[in-house]
Amino acid sequence: MEVSVEDIYRPGSDLDIPRRPPWSYSMTKEQLDQQEQSAFQDYLSRIHSNHRPQDLSLFEHNLETWRQLWRVLEISDVVLFITDVRHPALHFSPALYSHVVEDLRKKLVLVLNKVDLVPPEVAVAWRHYFVSKFPQLHVVCFTCFPSHHPSSTPSSPHPHPSSGRVSLRPRKRVGGTLPSAVGSRELFEVVEEMFAGKVDLSGWRQRLEGGGGGGEGGEGRKGGGGGDSGVDNTDSDSEKESGKTGKRQAEVEENDAAKVQSDSTGIVTIGMVGHPNVGKSSILNGLVGKKKVSTSRTPGHTKHFQTIFLSRSVRLCDCPGLVFPSLVNRQLQIMSGMYPVAQVREPYTPVGYLAERTPLTSLLGLVEEEGEEGWTAWGVCEAWAKKRRFYTSKAARLDTYRAANNILRLAVDGRVSMYFRPPGFSKEKDKWKEHPEVKEMIELQQQGLTRGQESGGSVGGCTHGNDPSDPEEGEEREEEGWESGDECKWSSEGGEIGEEVDEEEKETV
């Protein structure tokens, strides 16, 4: 399926983002709040009066969340627009691009995250599409925790994720560090070109050369009111065991960060914005080389914007994810991770949507019952519940609702990969496969694999940056019947099928 940005957002229409109304320091808190409330209500009324509810996507209606975006855009010198490379047209808002580049006159970098989930030629095609459509945009390909799949094997000249299956064992943290993120050096080169001679980026360069872990900076600060910021200020497991050592270390880091903040000259602030569940917090952790902010597969995990000093002259700012108004199909919103799977009341329609566009039954290794005339969404869920042994607790019937939710989670996590292509890709498919940047993309994935192996942990295919030791994540995996040894195959929207699922696959009771 080929999708363009114009199909989703209709540039020039009233599907805009709310702009912060003009303000001054002479205004009181009550006046400012009333002005913002009034402007935001007018914004919502304008959108809902010009579009039918069934045509509109589910988008952010909480003013406080938009305020977080306003503050991040105001304090940032460079804005990273994080998107999922499987469906970047859904995540990229032209209204935000115009606001940042034309109104605020700031630099904007589009980050195509999770590049290990699509064929390399598709990632290259999306990069050229956005560069041609938006001239002032810098595009960087990124992945926090790349996986080893056939697209990174040098023996195949034009590999494809659908040609094999991938082990999904979760990555293990060793010594409190994470594998170096793939794409961080390219991002550094882009920022260095923007601020050549104006900001000292030697600290960031030393961090890259040192493998991503340790180094200077790294103190987290939350910028938006009370509550849990999710910032992890410990540097190693040994410091957790030693309270005194950890306290002294925290005091030293806090003083260093305060010293840096007191001198605002020579500091570049990099803000990270985008939809929920595209990997903003994971990218921040990948750049730092340690888990500094908590992450989760559940959209909307980050509640307030957080700041982390990557070095004495580079500050990272993580903005909560929010959904921009668009005309995207609601089933696609679920598949792209914008809407929490746990809150889907009727999951069978999205499963049917997925089965119509991917060889889902072949990928899951499902066998049709005798007498059935073709697959239905209910039949797929019923067969998957039987295969995974999902039963209700009292009546011991097949739990099709749990099976449907499990299938949706497989799609969101990339274990069943459905992705979009830029307009015109099918007609020039051979051209993109022969593009010289495809080889560079494969080398990029190989580079990530090597770094993951050197870190001592097994690099899994999950690019959301979840911590396997996180109790919340462990409960989710146990609930959905996830096994550390489970394997799956890769699917493309075009219908190419990988190898058959192992018949002796470990089942979950």
Side-chain angles (χ1 to χ4, degrees):
M1 185 187 303
E2 297 179 358
V3 178
S4 66
V5 174
E6 290 79 5
D7 298 333
I8 305 298
Y9 288 98
R10 307 284 175 86
S13 66
D14 49 14
L15 293 177
D16 202 347
I17 63 172
R19 314 294 174 90
R20 186 176 188 182
W23 62 278
S24 64
Y25 286 102
S26 60
M27 300 175 62
T28 63
K29 179 182 178 181
E30 290 74 18
Q31 291 175 336
L32 181 62
D33 181 72
Q34 182 179 3
Q35 178 177 274
E36 292 179 351
Q37 288 280 0
S38 177
F40 186 68
Q41 291 301 323
D42 293 341
Y43 162 80
L44 293 178
S45 300
R46 184 174 67 255
I47 290 181
H48 287 291
S49 61
N50 295 331
H51 297 276
R52 298 183 303 172
Q54 57 268 31
D55 296 334
L56 276 175
S57 65
L58 301 173
F59 67 96
E60 187 61 60
H61 282 64
N62 187 0
L63 174 59
E64 186 58 36
T65 307
W66 287 104
R67 283 171 172 165
Q68 300 291 316
L69 175 65
W70 295 343
R71 294 187 178 100
V72 170
L73 295 180
E74 288 174 353
I75 67 176
S76 298
D77 301 302
V78 181
V79 179
L80 301 187
F81 200 159
I82 315 296
T83 62
D84 190 326
V85 73
R86 291 176 293 175
H87 16 66
L90 275 63
H91 299 301
F92 185 84
S93 171
L96 183 62
Y97 167 82
S98 301
H99 179 56
V100 173
V101 174
E102 299 174 4
D103 300 339
L104 302 179
R105 299 185 180 277
K106 295 185 177 182
K107 306 292 185 180
L108 183 64
V109 179
L110 174 64
V111 178
L112 298 177
N113 195 22
K114 310 177 185 179
V115 293
D116 54 313
L117 296 183
V118 299
E121 61 269 17
V122 174
V124 172
W126 274 119
R127 171 190 280 177
H128 284 266
Y129 169 79
F130 282 104
V131 170
S132 62
K133 294 286 292 184
F134 306 95
Q136 301 184 53
L137 191 66
H138 302 267
V139 182
V140 174
C141 293
F142 208 97
T143 182
C144 298
F145 307 108
S147 60
H148 179 41
H149 56 66
S151 67
S152 60
T153 56
S155 59
S156 177
H158 303 294
H160 192 286
S162 64
S163 59
R165 62 184 183 184
V166 181
S167 175
L168 295 178
R169 291 187 176 90
R171 171 193 43 78
K172 296 180 180 179
R173 297 175 60 195
V174 179
T177 62
L178 303 178
S180 298
V182 177
S184 55
R185 184 170 295 276
E186 184 181 0
L187 178 60
F188 167 77
E189 293 174 354
V190 170
V191 176
E192 186 180 36
E193 182 181 355
M194 294 177 179
F195 298 92
K198 299 179 182 178
V199 180
D200 181 17
L201 300 177
S202 58
W204 191 356
R205 184 184 295 106
Q206 292 175 3
R207 178 181 290 275
L208 290 173
E209 295 173 354
E216 54 184 329
E219 174 65 16
R221 292 182 178 274
K222 190 183 76 166
D228 181 16
S229 66
V231 177
D232 182 5
N233 292 325
T234 57
D235 290 336
S236 66
D237 295 336
S238 60
E239 288 181 8
K240 292 181 180 179
E241 298 175 359
S242 177
K244 295 182 180 180
T245 303
K247 183 177 180 180
R248 287 196 299 268
Q249 180 70 15
E251 291 176 353
V252 171
E253 291 184 351
E254 184 175 358
N255 293 335
D256 290 343
K259 182 179 179 181
V260 173
Q261 277 191 313
S262 62
D263 185 10
S264 59
T265 60
I267 298 178
V268 57
T269 300
I270 302 177
M272 301 181 181
V273 302
H275 278 162
N277 216 26
V278 294
K280 297 182 296 297
S281 299
S282 298
I283 287 180
L284 189 150
N285 289 334
L287 291 174
V288 175
K290 300 179 182 179
K291 183 181 178 183
K292 286 296 182 179
V293 295
S294 62
T295 59
S296 174
R297 290 181 303 176
T298 304
H301 180 73
T302 303
K303 306 301 182 186
H304 301 275
F305 77 86
Q306 306 163 94
T307 57
I308 297 289
F309 277 90
L310 181 60
S311 68
R312 293 188 178 275
S313 59
V314 180
R315 178 175 60 178
L316 305 177
C317 187
D318 181 23
C319 178
L322 48 83
V323 181
F324 309 110
S326 65
L327 301 178
V328 64
N329 187 291
R330 296 197 179 185
Q331 278 71 38
L332 276 179
Q333 281 196 296
I334 299 173
M335 298 297 172
S336 60
M338 301 183 201
Y339 191 81
V341 174
Q343 297 182 19
V344 178
R345 296 183 178 180
E346 194 273 292
Y348 306 106
T349 300
V351 170
Y353 183 91
L354 178 65
E356 291 173 354
R357 290 159 178 81
T358 61
L360 185 62
T361 55
S362 298
L363 294 172
L364 299 179
L366 303 181
V367 179
E368 189 174 3
E369 296 288 342
E370 296 183 1
E372 296 290 338
E373 298 181 358
W375 286 102
T376 62
W378 179 271
V380 170
C381 297
E382 194 173 46
W384 184 241
K386 184 177 181 180
K387 180 179 178 64
R388 302 299 295 178
R389 299 182 185 177
F390 292 157
Y391 296 100
T392 58
S393 58
K394 294 184 179 180
R397 297 173 181 172
L398 290 175
D399 195 344
T400 55
Y401 184 83
R402 180 184 178 188
N405 275 268
N406 182 254
I407 293 174
L408 295 180
R409 292 184 189 277
L410 293 177
V412 172
D413 293 346
R415 289 177 259 181
V416 174
S417 184
M418 185 185 75
Y419 55 86
F420 294 119
R421 304 178 179 94
F425 179 87
S426 300
K427 295 180 180 179
E428 301 179 339
K429 187 175 182 179
D430 295 336
K431 166 195 167 183
W432 288 115
K433 285 188 175 182
E434 300 294 336
H435 199 280
E437 292 185 16
V438 171
K439 184 178 179 181
E440 299 177 3
M441 186 66 64
I442 298 175
E443 293 176 352
L444 192 71
Q445 296 173 348
Q446 291 176 338
Q447 177 187 8
L449 171 65
T450 303
R451 290 183 178 182
Q453 291 174 338
E454 291 176 353
S455 68
S458 59
V459 182
C462 179
T463 60
H464 296 273
N466 299 327
D467 183 2
S469 62
D470 189 344
E472 178 183 347
E473 298 298 332
E475 292 174 1
E476 273 190 347
R477 290 194 178 101
E478 182 180 359
E479 178 183 353
E480 67 184 47
W482 189 90
E483 289 283 342
S484 62
D486 280 355
E487 294 184 344
C488 77
K489 294 172 299 173
W490 294 81
S491 158
S492 70
E493 195 279 328
E496 300 180 11
I497 306 176
E499 302 173 0
E500 288 297 328
V501 175
D502 190 356
E503 294 298 335
E504 298 179 359
E505 179 185 11
K506 188 175 181 180
E507 300 287 353
T508 303
V509 180

